[in-house]
Structures are given as C-alpha cells and as structure tokens.
Amino acid sequence: MLLPLRAALLAADLLARVPGEVDPAALLDGDLVLHTSRSNQARAIVWATASPYAHVGIVERRGPAVHVLEAVQPVKRTPWSQWQRRGLGGRVTVLRHAGLRPEQRAAVVRAAATYLGRPYDLHFAPGDDHIYCSELVVLAYAAIGIPLGSSTPAEQLGLHSPPVQALLRQRWRSHPSCAGMPSLAACMPALARLQIITPVSLRRDPSLTLVASSYPPALR
C-alpha cells in the first residue's frame, strides 16, 4: 500500500518541479508542443479524450526564430507567438525525445515539412492524404524510425458526450465511413471502429520527457 502512495507522491513532486514557464529560446527542433484552444473541435477532443490537450505540433527553429509545424487547414508553419496565443490561456506543454541527436531532430523537422500544404483531416480517417495534428507528429518521427503514441479505438473515447455528438452531427454525412448510411446513429458502429492517435497518447508516451509546462501541475 505504501509503495503506490510513495510512487504517486514522487510523480507529483517531479511534475511540480517542471518549469512553469515555456521559454521559446530553450526549445529544440523536433520538440512537441501541446495545448488546447477555444474552438468547438478542441472542446470535443478534450471531452473525448478526458485530457487538457486538443492539439499538438512540432517545433522548428529557423535561426533565432521559432515556428510550429502543425496540421490545421492546411498543414502549415506557424510563428511561435501566434501558436501560443491561440492556446487557451496561452498555456503550453513541451515534450522532448531526449535521445535524439541534432541531425535526427533536423530530420524530424524535414519530414514534417514534406506535408506542408496537405489538407487537414476533419474525420480522423485512415490514410495520410489528409492529416490531423497528432498524425503529423507520428509520421514525422516514423520517418527516422521512432514510433510515438498509440492508437485508441474511437469506441474507447467519449463519442457520446454532447460536444462530440454536436461535431459528428455536422460532419458525419461527409465521413468516408458513413457513405450510404441513412443516419448518424446507423454510422456510429463504423465510427467507433476508427483507430485514432490522440494528443494525450503522445503526452503519455514513456519515450518523451516533460521539459516545461505552463499548465497547472495537476493537468500536466
């Protein structure tokens, strides 16, 4: 009984020691940055994943300037200050794969940049002709042979929560899995079978280290 308690207290202490401010000058190529925003989709993702994170991108340094490569509409390069402002409360969490050499970090950035201009995947569907945010991260790291995150069956996410259902009612007719279906209810079993890589699965990846977060310790 005492060992789990000690482990929990140690984990809480480590989280509390993580820097509470994100210094863009300290960011490295290939770092992952997570936040959420005020959009309806972000709200739905937060509900579906029971986490504070709805979006993730990859840091790219261009001389002294810092940018984020992100899958929005379309995949694009966003200046750091703009990316941070878009987050709710300006809060950001930074993750780092500590084992990467500088040339590997550069390769991750180059791999992510090959998707610039690719349309955003509103449906979180299989394939990479359209891409969503955490999918971009996984593809970029896979290009250097490093697997990140894990797929979650959509049925294990909060598909029936009100924010998610509201979003599905807007989008189900154009979803590839719903072709020929008479209603959202009829399509729900197909949607439940989708395998989705969520931002929070990246946050939980043991190969990534939390290096800074302006979120409260309990939400990091």
Side-chain angles (χ1 to χ4, degrees), residues 8-87:
L9 290 173
L10 177 60
D13 183 55
L14 290 174
L15 283 175
R17 294 186 185 195
V18 169
E21 294 185 9
V22 176
D23 179 5
L27 296 175
L28 301 179
D29 277 338
D31 282 351
L32 274 57
V33 285
L34 301 96
H35 70 186
T36 190
S37 69
R38 300 164 181 80
S39 71
N40 289 335
Q41 173 162 306
R43 184 166 177 259
I45 293 171
V46 165
W47 273 77
T49 62
S51 86
Y53 303 118
H55 189 50
V56 60
I58 297 174
V59 170
E60 178 191 37
R61 298 203 66 100
R62 311 186 91 196
V66 178
H67 293 76
V68 178
L69 296 171
E70 58 173 343
V72 283
Q73 180 52 33
V75 177
K76 68 176 184 176
R77 178 183 285 115
T78 304
W80 169 257
S81 59
Q82 180 183 331
W83 193 89
Q84 184 178 27
R85 282 197 306 271
R86 208 170 68 227

Coordinates of all heavy atoms in Angstrom, one line a residue, residues 8-87:
A8 N 3.2 7.7 -6.2 CA 2.3 8.8 -6.6 C 2.8 10.2 -6.1 O 2.8 11.2 -6.8 CB 0.9 8.6 -6.1
L9 N 3.3 10.2 -4.9 CA 3.9 11.4 -4.3 C 5.1 11.9 -5.0 O 5.4 13.1 -5.3 CB 4.2 11.2 -2.8 CG 3.0 11.1 -1.9 CD1 3.4 10.7 -0.5 CD2 2.2 12.3 -1.9
L10 N 6.0 10.9 -5.4 CA 7.2 11.2 -6.2 C 6.8 11.8 -7.5 O 7.4 12.8 -8.0 CB 8.1 9.9 -6.4 CG 9.3 10.1 -7.2 CD1 10.2 11.2 -6.5 CD2 10.1 8.8 -7.3
A11 N 5.8 11.2 -8.2 CA 5.4 11.7 -9.5 C 4.9 13.1 -9.4 O 5.2 14.0 -10.2 CB 4.4 10.7 -10.1
A12 N 4.1 13.3 -8.4 CA 3.5 14.7 -8.2 C 4.6 15.7 -7.9 O 4.6 16.8 -8.4 CB 2.5 14.7 -7.0
D13 N 5.7 15.3 -7.1 CA 6.8 16.2 -6.8 C 7.6 16.5 -8.1 O 8.0 17.6 -8.3 CB 7.7 15.5 -5.8 CG 8.9 16.4 -5.4 OD1 8.6 17.6 -5.0 OD2 10.0 16.0 -5.5
L14 N 7.8 15.5 -9.0 CA 8.5 15.7 -10.2 C 7.7 16.7 -11.1 O 8.3 17.5 -11.8 CB 8.8 14.4 -10.9 CG 9.8 13.5 -10.2 CD1 9.8 12.1 -10.9 CD2 11.2 14.1 -10.2
L15 N 6.4 16.5 -11.2 CA 5.6 17.4 -12.0 C 5.7 18.8 -11.5 O 5.8 19.8 -12.3 CB 4.2 16.9 -12.0 CG 3.8 15.7 -12.9 CD1 2.4 15.3 -12.7 CD2 4.1 16.0 -14.4
A16 N 5.7 19.0 -10.2 CA 5.7 20.3 -9.6 C 7.0 21.0 -9.9 O 7.1 22.2 -9.9 CB 5.4 20.2 -8.1
R17 N 8.1 20.2 -10.1 CA 9.4 20.8 -10.4 C 9.7 21.2 -11.8 O 10.7 21.9 -12.1 CB 10.5 19.8 -9.9 CG 10.5 19.5 -8.4 CD 11.7 18.7 -8.0 NE 11.7 18.3 -6.6 CZ 12.7 17.8 -6.0 NH1 13.9 17.6 -6.6 NH2 12.6 17.5 -4.7
V18 N 8.8 20.7 -12.7 CA 9.0 21.1 -14.1 C 8.8 22.6 -14.3 O 7.8 23.2 -13.7 CB 7.9 20.3 -15.0 CG1 7.9 20.9 -16.4 CG2 8.2 18.9 -15.0
P19 N 9.6 23.3 -15.0 CA 9.4 24.8 -15.2 C 8.0 25.1 -15.6 O 7.4 24.5 -16.5 CB 10.5 25.1 -16.3 CG 11.5 24.0 -16.2 CD 10.8 22.8 -15.8
G20 N 7.5 26.1 -15.0 CA 6.1 26.6 -15.2 C 6.0 27.6 -16.3 O 4.9 28.1 -16.6
E21 N 7.1 28.0 -16.9 CA 7.1 28.9 -18.0 C 7.8 28.3 -19.2 O 8.8 27.6 -19.0 CB 7.7 30.3 -17.6 CG 7.0 31.1 -16.6 CD 7.6 32.4 -16.3 OE1 8.5 32.8 -17.1 OE2 7.2 33.1 -15.4
V22 N 7.3 28.5 -20.4 CA 7.9 28.0 -21.5 C 8.8 29.1 -22.2 O 8.2 30.1 -22.7 CB 6.9 27.4 -22.5 CG1 7.5 26.9 -23.8 CG2 6.1 26.3 -21.9
D23 N 10.1 28.8 -22.2 CA 11.0 29.8 -22.8 C 11.2 29.4 -24.3 O 11.9 28.3 -24.5 CB 12.3 29.8 -22.1 CG 13.3 30.8 -22.7 OD1 13.0 31.5 -23.6 OD2 14.5 30.8 -22.2
P24 N 10.7 30.1 -25.3 CA 10.9 29.7 -26.7 C 12.4 29.6 -27.0 O 12.8 28.8 -27.9 CB 10.2 30.8 -27.5 CG 10.0 31.9 -26.6 CD 10.0 31.3 -25.2
A25 N 13.3 30.3 -26.4 CA 14.7 30.2 -26.7 C 15.3 28.9 -26.3 O 16.4 28.5 -26.8 CB 15.5 31.4 -26.0
A26 N 14.6 28.2 -25.4 CA 15.1 26.9 -25.0 C 14.6 25.7 -25.8 O 15.0 24.6 -25.5 CB 14.8 26.7 -23.5
L27 N 13.6 26.0 -26.7 CA 13.0 24.9 -27.4 C 14.0 24.4 -28.5 O 14.8 25.1 -29.0 CB 11.8 25.4 -28.1 CG 10.6 25.9 -27.2 CD1 9.5 26.5 -28.0 CD2 10.1 24.7 -26.4
L28 N 13.9 23.1 -28.8 CA 14.8 22.5 -29.8 C 14.0 22.0 -31.0 O 12.8 21.7 -30.8 CB 15.5 21.3 -29.1 CG 16.4 21.5 -27.9 CD1 17.0 20.2 -27.4 CD2 17.5 22.5 -28.3
D29 N 14.6 21.9 -32.1 CA 14.0 21.2 -33.3 C 13.4 19.9 -32.8 O 14.1 19.1 -32.2 CB 15.0 21.0 -34.4 CG 15.2 22.2 -35.2 OD1 14.3 23.1 -35.3 OD2 16.3 22.3 -35.9
G30 N 12.2 19.6 -33.3 CA 11.6 18.3 -33.0 C 10.8 18.2 -31.7 O 10.2 17.2 -31.4
D31 N 11.0 19.2 -30.8 CA 10.2 19.2 -29.6 C 8.7 19.2 -29.9 O 8.2 19.7 -31.0 CB 10.4 20.4 -28.7 CG 11.7 20.3 -28.0 OD1 12.4 19.3 -27.9 OD2 12.1 21.4 -27.4
L32 N 7.9 18.5 -29.1 CA 6.4 18.5 -29.3 C 5.8 19.6 -28.3 O 6.2 19.7 -27.2 CB 5.9 17.1 -28.9 CG 5.8 16.1 -30.0 CD1 7.2 15.8 -30.5 CD2 5.2 14.8 -29.5
V33 N 4.9 20.3 -28.9 CA 4.2 21.3 -28.0 C 2.7 21.0 -28.1 O 2.2 20.8 -29.2 CB 4.5 22.8 -28.5 CG1 5.9 23.1 -28.1 CG2 4.4 22.9 -30.0
L34 N 2.1 21.1 -27.0 CA 0.7 20.7 -26.9 C -0.1 21.8 -26.2 O 0.4 22.5 -25.3 CB 0.4 19.4 -26.0 CG 1.1 18.2 -26.5 CD1 2.4 18.0 -25.8 CD2 0.2 16.9 -26.3
H35 N -1.3 22.0 -26.6 CA -2.2 23.0 -25.9 C -3.7 22.6 -26.4 O -3.9 21.6 -27.0 CB -1.9 24.4 -26.2 CG -2.1 24.9 -27.6 ND1 -1.7 26.1 -28.1 CD2 -2.7 24.3 -28.7 CE1 -2.1 26.3 -29.3 NE2 -2.7 25.2 -29.7
T36 N -4.6 23.5 -25.9 CA -6.0 23.4 -26.5 C -6.4 24.8 -26.8 O -5.7 25.8 -26.6 CB -6.9 22.8 -25.4 OG1 -8.2 22.5 -26.1 CG2 -7.2 23.7 -24.3
S37 N -7.5 24.9 -27.5 CA -7.9 26.2 -28.0 C -9.4 26.4 -27.7 O -10.0 25.6 -27.0 CB -7.7 26.4 -29.5 OG -8.6 25.5 -30.2
R38 N -10.0 27.4 -28.2 CA -11.4 27.8 -27.9 C -12.4 27.2 -28.9 O -13.6 27.4 -28.8 CB -11.5 29.3 -27.8 CG -10.7 30.0 -26.8 CD -10.5 31.5 -27.0 NE -9.7 32.1 -26.0 CZ -8.4 32.1 -26.1 NH1 -7.7 31.5 -27.1 NH2 -7.6 32.7 -25.1
S39 N -11.9 26.5 -29.9 CA -12.8 26.0 -31.0 C -13.7 24.9 -30.5 O -13.4 24.2 -29.5 CB -11.9 25.5 -32.2 OG -11.3 24.3 -31.8
N40 N -14.8 24.7 -31.2 CA -15.7 23.6 -30.9 C -15.0 22.3 -31.1 O -15.3 21.3 -30.3 CB -16.9 23.7 -31.9 CG -17.8 24.8 -31.5 OD1 -17.8 25.3 -30.4 ND2 -18.6 25.3 -32.5
Q41 N -14.1 22.1 -32.1 CA -13.4 20.9 -32.2 C -12.5 20.6 -31.0 O -12.4 19.5 -30.5 CB -12.6 20.8 -33.5 CG -11.7 19.6 -33.6 CD -11.2 19.3 -35.0 OE1 -12.0 19.2 -35.9 NE2 -9.9 19.2 -35.2
A42 N -11.8 21.6 -30.6 CA -10.9 21.4 -29.4 C -11.7 21.0 -28.2 O -11.3 20.1 -27.5 CB -10.1 22.7 -29.1
R43 N -12.9 21.6 -28.0 CA -13.7 21.2 -26.9 C -14.2 19.8 -27.0 O -14.2 19.0 -26.0 CB -14.9 22.2 -26.8 CG -15.9 21.9 -25.7 CD -16.8 23.1 -25.5 NE -17.8 22.9 -24.4 CZ -19.0 22.5 -24.6 NH1 -19.5 22.3 -25.8 NH2 -19.8 22.3 -23.6
A44 N -14.5 19.4 -28.2 CA -14.9 18.0 -28.4 C -13.8 17.0 -28.1 O -14.0 15.9 -27.5 CB -15.4 17.8 -29.8
I45 N -12.5 17.3 -28.6 CA -11.4 16.5 -28.3 C -11.1 16.4 -26.8 O -10.8 15.3 -26.3 CB -10.2 17.0 -29.1 CG1 -10.4 16.8 -30.6 CG2 -8.9 16.2 -28.7 CD1 -9.4 17.5 -31.5
V46 N -11.2 17.5 -26.1 CA -10.9 17.5 -24.7 C -11.9 16.5 -24.0 O -11.6 15.7 -23.1 CB -11.0 18.9 -24.1 CG1 -11.1 18.9 -22.6 CG2 -9.8 19.7 -24.6
W47 N -13.2 16.6 -24.4 CA -14.2 15.7 -23.8 C -14.0 14.3 -24.2 O -14.1 13.4 -23.4 CB -15.6 16.2 -24.3 CG -16.2 17.2 -23.4 CD1 -15.9 18.6 -23.4 CD2 -17.2 17.0 -22.4 NE1 -16.7 19.2 -22.5 CE2 -17.5 18.3 -21.9 CE3 -17.9 16.0 -22.0 CZ2 -18.4 18.5 -20.8 CZ3 -18.9 16.1 -21.0 CH2 -19.1 17.4 -20.4
A48 N -13.7 14.1 -25.5 CA -13.5 12.7 -26.0 C -12.3 12.0 -25.3 O -12.4 10.8 -25.0 CB -13.3 12.7 -27.5
T49 N -11.2 12.7 -25.0 CA -10.0 12.1 -24.5 C -9.8 12.3 -23.0 O -8.9 11.8 -22.4 CB -8.8 12.7 -25.2 OG1 -8.7 14.1 -25.0 CG2 -8.9 12.5 -26.7
A50 N -10.7 13.0 -22.4 CA -10.7 13.3 -21.0 C -9.3 13.9 -20.6 O -8.6 13.4 -19.6 CB -11.0 12.1 -20.1
S51 N -8.8 14.8 -21.4 CA -7.5 15.4 -21.1 C -7.5 16.9 -21.4 O -8.5 17.3 -22.1 CB -6.4 14.7 -22.0 OG -6.4 15.3 -23.3
P52 N -6.5 17.6 -21.0 CA -6.5 19.1 -21.3 C -5.9 19.4 -22.7 O -5.8 20.6 -23.0 CB -5.6 19.6 -20.2 CG -4.7 18.5 -19.9 CD -5.4 17.3 -20.1
Y53 N -5.5 18.4 -23.4 CA -4.8 18.6 -24.7 C -5.7 18.3 -25.9 O -6.2 17.1 -26.0 CB -3.5 17.8 -24.7 CG -2.6 18.1 -23.6 CD1 -2.2 17.1 -22.7 CD2 -2.1 19.4 -23.4 CE1 -1.4 17.4 -21.6 CE2 -1.3 19.7 -22.3 CZ -0.9 18.7 -21.4 OH -0.1 19.0 -20.4
A54 N -5.8 19.2 -26.8 CA -6.6 19.0 -28.0 C -5.7 19.2 -29.3 O -6.2 18.8 -30.4 CB -7.7 20.0 -28.1
H55 N -4.5 19.7 -29.2 CA -3.7 20.0 -30.3 C -2.2 19.8 -30.0 O -1.8 20.0 -28.9 CB -3.9 21.4 -30.8 CG -3.3 21.7 -32.1 ND1 -3.5 21.0 -33.3 CD2 -2.5 22.8 -32.5 CE1 -2.9 21.5 -34.3 NE2 -2.3 22.6 -33.8
V56 N -1.4 19.4 -31.1 CA 0.0 19.2 -30.9 C 0.7 19.6 -32.2 O 0.1 19.4 -33.3 CB 0.3 17.7 -30.5 CG1 -0.2 16.7 -31.6 CG2 1.8 17.5 -30.2
G57 N 1.9 20.1 -32.0 CA 2.7 20.5 -33.2 C 4.2 20.2 -32.9 O 4.5 19.7 -31.8
I58 N 5.0 20.4 -33.9 CA 6.5 20.1 -33.8 C 7.2 21.4 -34.0 O 7.0 22.2 -34.9 CB 6.9 19.2 -35.0 CG1 6.2 17.8 -34.8 CG2 8.4 19.0 -35.0 CD1 6.4 16.9 -36.0
V59 N 8.1 21.6 -33.0 CA 9.0 22.9 -33.0 C 10.0 22.8 -34.2 O 10.6 21.8 -34.4 CB 9.7 23.0 -31.7 CG1 10.8 24.2 -31.8 CG2 8.7 23.3 -30.6
E60 N 10.1 23.9 -34.9 CA 11.1 24.1 -35.9 C 11.8 25.5 -35.6 O 11.2 26.5 -35.6 CB 10.5 24.2 -37.3 CG 11.5 24.5 -38.4 CD 10.9 24.8 -39.7 OE1 9.8 25.5 -39.7 OE2 11.4 24.3 -40.8
R61 N 13.1 25.4 -35.5 CA 13.9 26.6 -35.3 C 14.5 27.0 -36.6 O 15.0 26.2 -37.4 CB 15.1 26.3 -34.3 CG 14.6 25.9 -32.9 CD 15.7 26.2 -31.9 NE 15.9 27.7 -31.8 CZ 15.4 28.5 -30.8 NH1 14.6 27.9 -29.9 NH2 15.7 29.8 -30.8
R62 N 14.3 28.3 -36.9 CA 14.9 28.9 -38.2 C 15.7 30.0 -37.7 O 15.3 31.2 -37.6 CB 13.8 29.3 -39.1 CG 12.7 28.2 -39.3 CD 11.7 28.6 -40.4 NE 12.2 28.1 -41.7 CZ 11.7 28.5 -42.9 NH1 10.7 29.5 -42.9 NH2 12.1 28.0 -44.0
G63 N 17.0 29.7 -37.4 CA 17.9 30.8 -36.8 C 17.3 31.1 -35.4 O 17.0 30.2 -34.7
P64 N 17.2 32.4 -35.1 CA 16.6 32.7 -33.8 C 15.1 32.6 -33.7 O 14.5 32.6 -32.6 CB 17.0 34.2 -33.6 CG 17.2 34.7 -35.0 CD 17.6 33.5 -35.9
A65 N 14.5 32.4 -34.9 CA 13.0 32.4 -34.9 C 12.5 30.9 -34.6 O 13.2 30.0 -35.0 CB 12.5 32.8 -36.2
V66 N 11.4 30.9 -33.9 CA 10.8 29.6 -33.5 C 9.4 29.5 -34.2 O 8.6 30.4 -34.1 CB 10.6 29.4 -32.0 CG1 10.0 28.1 -31.7 CG2 12.0 29.5 -31.3
H67 N 9.2 28.4 -34.9 CA 7.9 28.1 -35.5 C 7.4 26.8 -35.0 O 8.1 26.0 -34.4 CB 8.1 28.1 -37.0 CG 8.4 29.4 -37.6 ND1 9.7 29.9 -37.6 CD2 7.7 30.3 -38.3 CE1 9.7 31.1 -38.2 NE2 8.5 31.4 -38.6
V68 N 6.1 26.5 -35.3 CA 5.5 25.2 -35.0 C 4.9 24.7 -36.4 O 4.2 25.4 -37.0 CB 4.4 25.4 -34.0 CG1 3.7 24.0 -33.8 CG2 4.9 25.9 -32.7
L69 N 5.4 23.5 -36.7 CA 4.8 22.8 -37.9 C 3.6 22.1 -37.3 O 3.6 21.3 -36.4 CB 5.8 21.8 -38.5 CG 7.0 22.5 -39.1 CD1 8.1 21.4 -39.4 CD2 6.7 23.3 -40.3
E70 N 2.4 22.4 -37.9 CA 1.1 21.9 -37.3 C 0.2 21.5 -38.5 O 0.2 22.1 -39.5 CB 0.5 22.9 -36.4 CG 0.2 24.2 -37.0 CD -0.6 25.1 -36.2 OE1 -1.2 24.7 -35.2 OE2 -0.6 26.3 -36.4
A71 N -0.6 20.5 -38.2 CA -1.7 20.1 -39.1 C -3.0 20.8 -38.7 O -3.6 20.5 -37.7 CB -1.9 18.6 -39.1
V72 N -3.3 21.9 -39.4 CA -4.5 22.6 -39.3 C -5.1 22.6 -40.7 O -5.2 21.5 -41.3 CB -4.4 24.0 -38.7 CG1 -4.1 24.0 -37.2 CG2 -3.2 24.8 -39.3
Q73 N -5.6 23.6 -41.2 CA -6.1 23.6 -42.6 C -5.4 24.7 -43.4 O -5.8 25.9 -43.3 CB -7.7 23.9 -42.6 CG -8.3 23.9 -44.0 CD -7.9 22.6 -44.8 OE1 -7.7 21.5 -44.3 NE2 -7.8 22.8 -46.1
P74 N -4.4 24.3 -44.1 CA -3.8 23.0 -44.2 C -2.6 22.8 -43.2 O -2.5 23.7 -42.3 CB -3.3 23.0 -45.7 CG -2.8 24.5 -45.8 CD -3.8 25.3 -45.0
V75 N -1.8 21.8 -43.4 CA -0.5 21.7 -42.6 C 0.3 23.0 -42.9 O 0.5 23.3 -44.1 CB 0.3 20.4 -43.0 CG1 1.6 20.4 -42.3 CG2 -0.6 19.2 -42.7
K76 N 0.8 23.6 -41.9 CA 1.5 24.9 -42.1 C 2.5 25.1 -41.1 O 2.6 24.4 -40.0 CB 0.5 26.0 -42.2 CG -0.2 26.4 -40.9 CD -1.1 27.6 -41.0 CE -1.7 28.0 -39.7 NZ -2.5 29.3 -39.8
R77 N 3.3 26.2 -41.3 CA 4.3 26.6 -40.4 C 3.8 27.9 -39.7 O 3.5 28.9 -40.4 CB 5.6 26.9 -41.2 CG 6.7 27.4 -40.4 CD 7.9 27.7 -41.3 NE 8.6 26.5 -41.7 CZ 8.7 26.1 -43.0 NH1 8.1 26.8 -44.0 NH2 9.3 25.0 -43.3
T78 N 3.7 27.9 -38.4 CA 3.1 29.0 -37.6 C 4.1 29.6 -36.7 O 4.8 28.9 -35.9 CB 1.9 28.5 -36.8 OG1 1.0 27.9 -37.7 CG2 1.2 29.6 -36.0
P79 N 4.3 30.9 -36.7 CA 5.2 31.5 -35.7 C 4.9 31.2 -34.3 O 3.7 31.1 -34.0 CB 5.1 33.0 -36.0 CG 4.6 33.1 -37.4 CD 3.7 31.9 -37.6
W80 N 5.9 31.0 -33.5 CA 5.6 30.6 -32.1 C 4.7 31.5 -31.3 O 3.7 31.0 -30.7 CB 7.0 30.5 -31.3 CG 6.8 30.3 -29.8 CD1 6.8 31.3 -28.9 CD2 6.4 29.1 -29.2 NE1 6.5 30.8 -27.6 CE2 6.3 29.4 -27.8 CE3 6.1 27.8 -29.6 CZ2 5.9 28.5 -26.9 CZ3 5.8 26.9 -28.7 CH2 5.6 27.2 -27.3
S81 N 4.9 32.8 -31.4 CA 4.0 33.7 -30.6 C 2.5 33.5 -31.1 O 1.6 33.6 -30.2 CB 4.5 35.1 -30.8 OG 4.4 35.5 -32.2
Q82 N 2.3 33.4 -32.3 CA 0.9 33.2 -32.8 C 0.4 31.9 -32.3 O -0.8 31.8 -31.9 CB 0.9 33.2 -34.4 CG -0.5 33.0 -35.0 CD -0.4 33.1 -36.5 OE1 0.5 33.7 -37.1 NE2 -1.3 32.3 -37.1
W83 N 1.2 30.8 -32.4 CA 0.7 29.5 -32.0 C 0.4 29.5 -30.5 O -0.7 29.0 -30.1 CB 1.8 28.5 -32.2 CG 1.4 27.0 -32.1 CD1 0.8 26.3 -33.1 CD2 1.4 26.2 -30.9 NE1 0.5 25.0 -32.6 CE2 0.8 25.0 -31.2 CE3 1.8 26.5 -29.6 CZ2 0.7 23.9 -30.3 CZ3 1.7 25.4 -28.7 CH2 1.1 24.2 -29.0
Q84 N 1.2 30.1 -29.7 CA 1.0 30.2 -28.2 C -0.3 31.0 -27.9 O -1.1 30.6 -27.1 CB 2.2 30.8 -27.5 CG 2.0 30.8 -26.0 CD 3.3 31.3 -25.3 OE1 4.0 32.1 -25.9 NE2 3.5 30.9 -24.1
R85 N -0.5 32.1 -28.6 CA -1.7 32.9 -28.3 C -2.9 32.2 -28.6 O -4.0 32.4 -28.0 CB -1.6 34.2 -29.1 CG -0.7 35.3 -28.6 CD -1.0 36.7 -29.2 NE -1.0 36.6 -30.7 CZ 0.1 36.8 -31.4 NH1 1.3 37.1 -30.8 NH2 0.0 36.8 -32.7
R86 N -2.9 31.3 -29.6 CA -4.1 30.6 -30.0 C -4.5 29.6 -28.9 O -5.7 29.2 -28.9 CB -3.9 29.9 -31.3 CG -5.1 29.7 -32.1 CD -4.8 29.2 -33.5 NE -4.3 27.8 -33.5 CZ -3.2 27.4 -34.1 NH1 -2.5 28.3 -34.9 NH2 -2.8 26.2 -34.1
G87 N -3.6 29.2 -28.0 CA -4.0 28.3 -27.0 C -4.8 28.9 -25.9 O -4.6 30.1 -25.6

